[in-house]
Amino acid sequence: MESQIILILFGGFLLLMAIGAPITVALGVSTLISFLYLDENPIKFVQIAFTSVGSFPLMALPAFILAGALMEAAGLSRRLINVAESFAGPFTGGMSAATVFACLFFGAISGSGPATTAAVGMLMIPAMIQRGYGRSYASAITASSGGLGIVIPPSIPLIIFGIAALGMPAPPAAVEQFGQFQTVSIPKLFIAGFMPAFLIAGSLLLMNYILARKHGYKGSSEGWSARLIWCEMYRGFWALMAPVVILGGIYSGFFTPTEAAIVAIFYTLAVGTFIYRELSWTKLFTALETTTWLTGRVLLIMFTATVFGRLLVENQIPAVIADGMLSVTSNIYIIWALVILFLLFVGMFMETLATILILVPVMLPVAYSVGIDPIHFGVVMVCCLGIGFQTPPLGENLFIASGISNISIEKISVAALPFAFINTIAIFIIAYVPEITLWLPRVLGY
């Protein structure tokens, strides 16, 4: 029975994907066929799907999407980018390094990789080209840095992982062998994402410096100006305060991640309307339209992916896959290598949120079985999928950067390969050194 369900579920899903069906349709149809094969009442499909979007933490998803769209419309993102650019100065590859910092800043507001790439790329790619950077290089560094948007908190994929992992307790055998695992919570995941995000950003800056020296991309002729930095920080003070208010409120316990997203919306509305005075009715309706479209797309995937995952769990398919992997090896480092390489491969073809919802029920039991902490696993999983934004054929960030720079995706993909390589090395370091992820939450009492 188990082998037949695996064949129907995954075979149907892969077949529908191969003929070009949208991922939501592929997930939904393969799951519905499996329900009918098991003689389950199809109404259960609808009930599980409805329950999947009824959780309180999930309310943070559309709120953070709206907050990111409003911050771009209100001029906060432009001021954050100006601050990052002021630090570039005469340094080799300074403009592209500023792009990495700008993506970190904006990612700490939007929680989205494509949104970060679009917001930063619209300003930084033309600026880099004007300074003599190659179009493919300017696009590649922006697309690669955009992936930081889903690692630095608040991260939408980390929210989705937290929701998916909450219903996946550690198997009794794993608890008996390794002791009690810590519980998964979204604030804990957010805190755990900080140091890995900065490590990945550091790896991008290192590769950027090497490539900038090779290509001769110099800094500005005006030199480094403390006065310019101070002026840009003064102009962008309220923009810089946005991540401080959002993350500070979460980690101080003043409000939950869901409440923080609502605070972010009202903060942006107040700053954009009364301080910067750039938020018009037209921009407001555009931000609402963008939020509606993105949220609807994400929720449709969540509907079908949650039912897909529930069917896997109910038929003990994750346990079968975990036993299969553990029969090959129980070495935690080899398991980590297999998991990372698999996630990198899947991330090239599948949308990030769908991947998380489908694979958490499959791979988290494997992680528990070798003693991997669920918070650590979640951060590494999201880091791996972040590379998928800069690798074809899916590569959402590549498409966005290509549209801005008017250069082919093939050329950007080739230019992005060194950044994908250095990011992969950073992810292996994060996986093999758990303290990079777990030290900060422990210090802060989580």
Side-chain angles (χ1 to χ4, degrees), residues 10 68 78 101 108 120 173 184 195 247 260 272 297 312 318 350 361 367 419:
F10 288 101
R78 189 181 73 254
F101 283 114
V120 175
V184 176
M195 290 181 68
L247 300 176
R297 177 170 168 258
L312 289 176
M350 284 182 61
F419 298 110

Side-chain angles (χ1 to χ4, degrees), residues 31-348:
T31 306
L32 187 57
I33 292 172
S34 300
F35 263 84
L36 296 174
Y37 175 79
L38 292 168
D39 201 25
E40 295 269 10
N41 189 339
I43 196 65
K44 185 180 177 182
F45 181 100
V46 180
Q47 290 170 339
I48 296 172
F50 179 79
T51 305
S52 69
V53 294
S55 63
F56 179 72
L58 189 60
M59 289 174 61
L61 179 66
F64 273 125
I65 292 174
L66 177 57
L70 287 173
M71 285 175 184
E72 186 176 356
L76 275 74
S77 60
R78 189 181 73 254
R79 287 169 172 81
L80 288 172
I81 291 166
N82 289 342
V83 172
E85 189 177 352
S86 69
F87 280 92
F91 301 113
T92 299
M95 281 291 290
S96 43
T99 301
V100 178
F101 283 114
C103 287
L104 266 178
F105 282 146
F106 192 76
I109 298 171
S110 71
S112 165
T116 300
T117 304
V120 175
M122 288 294 289
L123 296 172
M124 294 302 287
I125 290 177
M128 281 189 280
I129 294 170
Q130 191 176 4
R131 294 279 184 91
Y133 286 72
R135 284 181 178 271
S136 59
Y137 186 84
S139 303
I141 185 68
T142 306
S144 302
S145 303
L148 292 169
I150 71 165
V151 182
I152 191 79
S155 159
I156 292 172
L158 281 177
I159 293 172
I160 300 302
F161 176 86
I163 293 168
L166 283 173
M168 293 288 299
V175 174
E176 184 179 345
Q177 183 177 358
F178 300 104
Q180 194 67 42
F181 291 87
Q182 65 174 320
T183 57
V184 176
S185 74
I186 292 171
K188 198 184 299 183
L189 285 164
F190 280 179
I191 296 172
F194 264 110
M195 290 181 68
F198 283 107
L199 177 60
I200 292 172
S203 71
L204 288 171
L205 291 170
L206 175 62
M207 182 57 70
N208 171 66
Y209 180 77
I210 294 169
L211 294 176
R213 285 197 64 177
K214 176 184 176 182
H215 296 302
Y217 298 144
K218 304 295 183 182
S220 63
S221 56
E222 294 83 9
W224 186 77
S225 170
R227 183 176 181 277
L228 175 63
I229 292 175
W230 172 253
C231 289
E232 291 299 343
M233 290 183 71
Y234 176 77
R235 295 190 190 103
F237 172 78
W238 294 104
L240 291 169
M241 283 299 293
V244 174
V245 170
I246 296 166
L247 300 176
I250 294 172
Y251 302 143
S252 66
F254 195 72
F255 38 69
T256 67
T258 303
E259 292 164 346
I262 306 301
V263 170
I265 292 171
F266 282 99
Y267 178 88
T268 308
L269 287 171
V271 172
T273 304
F274 301 111
I275 299 176
Y276 293 153
R277 299 182 181 180
E278 294 186 21
L279 190 60
S280 63
W281 284 107
T282 303
K283 290 180 178 179
L284 178 60
F285 284 124
T286 301
L288 289 170
E289 184 181 348
T290 302
T291 303
T292 303
W293 184 83
L294 285 174
T295 303
R297 177 170 168 258
V298 170
L299 291 180
L300 276 174
I301 293 172
M302 278 203 68
F303 277 146
T304 50
T306 301
V307 185
F308 188 95
R310 183 74 65 86
L311 196 60
L312 289 176
V313 173
E314 287 180 355
N315 289 275
Q316 299 183 335
I317 295 171
V320 174
I321 295 172
D323 290 341
M325 289 187 70
L326 294 174
S327 66
V328 176
T329 179
S330 60
N331 185 297
I332 189 171
Y333 298 106
I334 297 176
I335 292 289
W336 260 131
L338 292 173
V339 167
I340 290 170
L341 294 174
F342 176 68
L343 288 172
L344 291 175
F345 175 76
V346 171
M348 295 169 61

